[in-house]
């Protein structure tokens, strides 16, 4: 196609909308922000900027922050040639902003790339409407947990239309979603991303989260990653992180080495697995207490589960069940690579 003027004469689009998305500096849990840039057809995606003083990202006097595109995909909300442009945040000298956890992961992923680590992350979340979980009656509680997980029927499942619209949006954007399911509490759901490399799974998870908020917005419903949205006898929301290296995918000893290495650095992992993790990892509701580390085959009450199939095959992957729904996947995957891949290297299991 020629210049924009010619395109206009031909009656086709002369521009497209690029939705620049980034992670802000809200503490203790960062939030997503986005704004739209109109770009001429065929134009490269430029660096862009924003006012860091409105996002808790202003470093000192200087409030300008830089957006650098790192993951671009079709925009399934606007359709056409419009794009979602997921960005990392830089300072004006183009060095990583202190809130940029992706940059730190990038260095670690490169250092251990030869072990070919991959991840599948199970993102649990909860819909809220009128200040209570979607499906909770006003002024009370629904029937206790037991039939909601993977349920069917209007008395068991709440928000499926939104969930289906989100799944379709993710697939149209080209995200590698591996599945969805209704969760243990009414209004609680899960989608899984991966398996992919650490950077890819984390970039795509953040974009899938943005799409979740954006799709639910049209239904006047809020999605939250709150790790314990309802106190008491109701399941929390996690982000089980499934992990393997090439050695783990081909042998059993590396699986045990990885599980043991996570015991040694358990506190660093807990500290990086999402705010208020102690409220969720109580030892009840299919969790292990945050203060104790354990692993076991098929054990959903352990910190780390080895799937039964992995024990039979004597190879496969492990599931770290500790990360919260509100975790930063750049931090979680970095910690797992640092801990497990260092131990595997030391053991000569690479
Ligand atoms: P659960 O039984 O715990 O609910 P799910 O089916 O929800 O498990 O999620 C398992 C995740 O693990 C999926 O995202 C899947 O793609 C991922 N996965 C499968 N094999 C591997 C592997 N070898 N390494 C890392 N992740 C994997
Ligand atoms: Mn799952
Ligand atoms: Mn789940
Ligand atoms: Mn799981």
């Amino acid at each position: 196609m020629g210049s924009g003027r010619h395109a206009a004469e031909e009656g086709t689009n002369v521009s497209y909308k690029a939705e620049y998305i980034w992670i802000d500096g809200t503490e203790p849990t960062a939030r997503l922000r986005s704004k739209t840039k109109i770009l001429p057809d065929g134009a490269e995606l430029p660096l862009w900027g924003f006012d860091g003083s409105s996002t808790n990202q202003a470093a000192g006097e200087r409030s300008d922050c830089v957006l650098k595109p790192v993951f671009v995909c079709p925009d399934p909300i606007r359709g056409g040639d419009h794009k979602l442009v997921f960005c990392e945040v830089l300072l004006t000298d183009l060095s990583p902003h202190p809130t940029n956890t992706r940059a730190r992961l990038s260095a670690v992923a490169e250092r251990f790339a030869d072990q070919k680590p991959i991840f599948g992350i199970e993102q649990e979340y909860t819909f809220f409407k009128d200040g209570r979980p979607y499906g909770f009656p006003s002024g009370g509680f629904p029937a206790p947990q037991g039939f909601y997980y993977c349920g069917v029927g209007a008395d068991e499942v709440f928000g499926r239309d939104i969930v289906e619209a989100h799944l379709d949006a993710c697939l149209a954007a080209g995200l590698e979603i591996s599945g969805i399911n209704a969760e243990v509490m009414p209004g609680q759901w899960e989608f899984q991303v991966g398996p992919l490399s650490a950077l890819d799974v984390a970039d795509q998870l953040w974009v899938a989260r943005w799409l979740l908020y954006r799709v639910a917005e049209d239904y006047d419903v809020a999605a939250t990653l709150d790790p314990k949205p309802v106190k008491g006898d109701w399941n929390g929301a996690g982000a089980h992180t499934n992990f393997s290296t090439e050695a783990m995918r081909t042998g059993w000893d590396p699986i045990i080495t990885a599980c043991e290495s996570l015991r040694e650095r358990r506190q660093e992992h807990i500290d990086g697995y999402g705010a208020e993790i102690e409220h969720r990892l109580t030892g009840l509701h299919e969790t292990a207490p945050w203060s104790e580390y354990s692993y076991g085959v098929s054990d959903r009450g352990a910190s780390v589960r080895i799937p039964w199939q992995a024990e039979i095959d004597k190879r496969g992957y492990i599931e770290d069940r500790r990360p919260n729904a509100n975790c930063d996947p750049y931090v979680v995957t970095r910690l797992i690579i640092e801990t497990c891949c260092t131990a595997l290297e030391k053991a000569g299991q690479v």
Side-chain angles (χ1 to χ4, degrees):
M1 195 186 297
S3 70
R5 190 173 56 81
H6 282 115
E9 283 163 5
E10 287 158 19
T12 54
N13 277 348
V14 294
S15 60
Y16 69 96
K17 299 170 195 165
E19 190 71 10
Y20 277 57
I21 305 170
W22 74 98
I23 301 165
D24 77 2
T26 304
E27 288 175 352
T29 303
R31 310 180 78 88
L32 287 166
R33 310 273 180 145
S34 75
K35 57 178 185 166
T36 310
K37 192 172 190 59
I38 308 300
L39 289 165
D41 243 355
E44 295 285 307
L45 292 164
L47 297 180
W48 200 14
F50 67 95
D51 170 16
S53 67
S54 300
T55 62
N56 202 30
Q57 280 165 310
E61 302 286 273
R62 313 176 52 170
S63 67
D64 280 342
C65 295
V66 175
L67 293 174
K68 182 186 172 200
V70 293
F71 177 82
V72 183
C73 63
D75 180 344
I77 306 290
R78 290 176 168 143
D81 292 333
H82 307 301
K83 289 190 165 55
L84 299 181
V85 183
F86 188 64
C87 298
E88 65 176 343
V89 178
L90 306 179
L91 299 168
T92 47
D93 65 3
L94 303 188
S95 65
H97 189 277
T99 60
N100 181 340
T101 51
R102 187 183 194 275
R104 245 184 113 185
L105 167 62
S106 183
V108 171
E110 198 172 316
R111 154 91 175 75
F112 291 103
D114 55 333
Q115 293 193 38
K116 301 191 171 61
I118 57 170
F119 295 85
I121 302 184
E122 307 168 46
Q123 176 70 67
E124 295 180 340
Y125 60 93
T126 312
F127 288 133
F128 267 74
K129 173 108 176 148
D130 302 326
R132 57 179 182 274
Y134 204 31
F136 274 49
S138 64
F141 288 90
Q145 295 183 162
F147 304 107
Y148 306 114
Y149 172 74
C150 296
V152 62
D155 54 340
E156 294 182 358
V157 156
F158 306 91
R160 195 191 293 277
D161 48 351
I162 314 172
V163 172
E164 290 288 330
H166 172 250
L167 176 61
D168 287 342
C170 289
L171 296 177
L175 305 185
E176 307 232 5
I177 304 292
S178 58
I180 57 169
N181 60 268
E183 270 300 338
V184 175
M185 188 179 88
Q188 208 173 53
W189 294 83
E190 169 180 317
F191 64 86
Q192 304 106 32
V193 183
L196 289 165
S197 74
L199 280 175
D200 287 342
V201 81
D203 288 346
Q204 293 196 22
L205 180 56
W206 278 111
V207 173
R209 286 172 172 181
W210 187 87
L211 281 170
L212 178 66
Y213 301 131
R214 179 62 191 82
V215 167
E217 185 184 306
D218 286 347
Y219 292 81
D220 207 17
V221 166
T224 173
L225 307 185
D226 187 333
K228 194 73 185 177
V230 184
K231 311 295 166 221
D233 207 12
W234 300 91
N235 270 40
H240 298 168
T241 300
N242 300 274
F243 163 73
S244 64
T245 64
E246 189 166 52
M248 293 162 72
R249 293 189 290 275
T250 47
W252 179 253
D253 291 350
I255 287 182
I256 299 304
T257 302
C259 290
E260 288 292 341
S261 71
L262 289 166
R263 179 194 305 287
E264 275 162 44
R265 292 188 62 201
R266 60 188 174 276
Q267 191 57 47
E268 282 155 283
H269 282 254
I270 289 293
D271 292 344
Y273 279 5
E276 306 208 316
I277 196 165
E278 321 78 43
H279 295 196
R280 177 177 146 261
L281 298 185
T282 57
L284 301 171
H285 308 109
E286 299 172 70
T287 68
W290 66 271
S291 53
E292 290 165 35
Y293 175 84
S294 58
Y295 69 89
V297 175
S298 286
D299 188 352
R300 285 169 198 272
S303 314
V304 172
R305 176 177 68 101
I306 302 172
W308 63 273
Q309 191 69 45
E311 192 191 37
I312 290 173
D313 296 344
K314 296 291 175 225
R315 63 189 169 84
Y317 64 99
I318 61 173
E319 175 192 43
D320 191 337
R321 301 175 56 81
R322 295 170 295 172
N324 265 359
N326 64 349
C327 70
D328 177 349
Y330 295 128
V331 175
V332 171
T333 56
R334 173 176 59 78
L335 286 167
I336 292 175
I337 292 180
E338 273 175 358
T339 299
C340 297
C341 291
T342 301
L344 288 162
E345 198 173 72
K346 269 195 198 144
Q349 294 167 343
V350 294

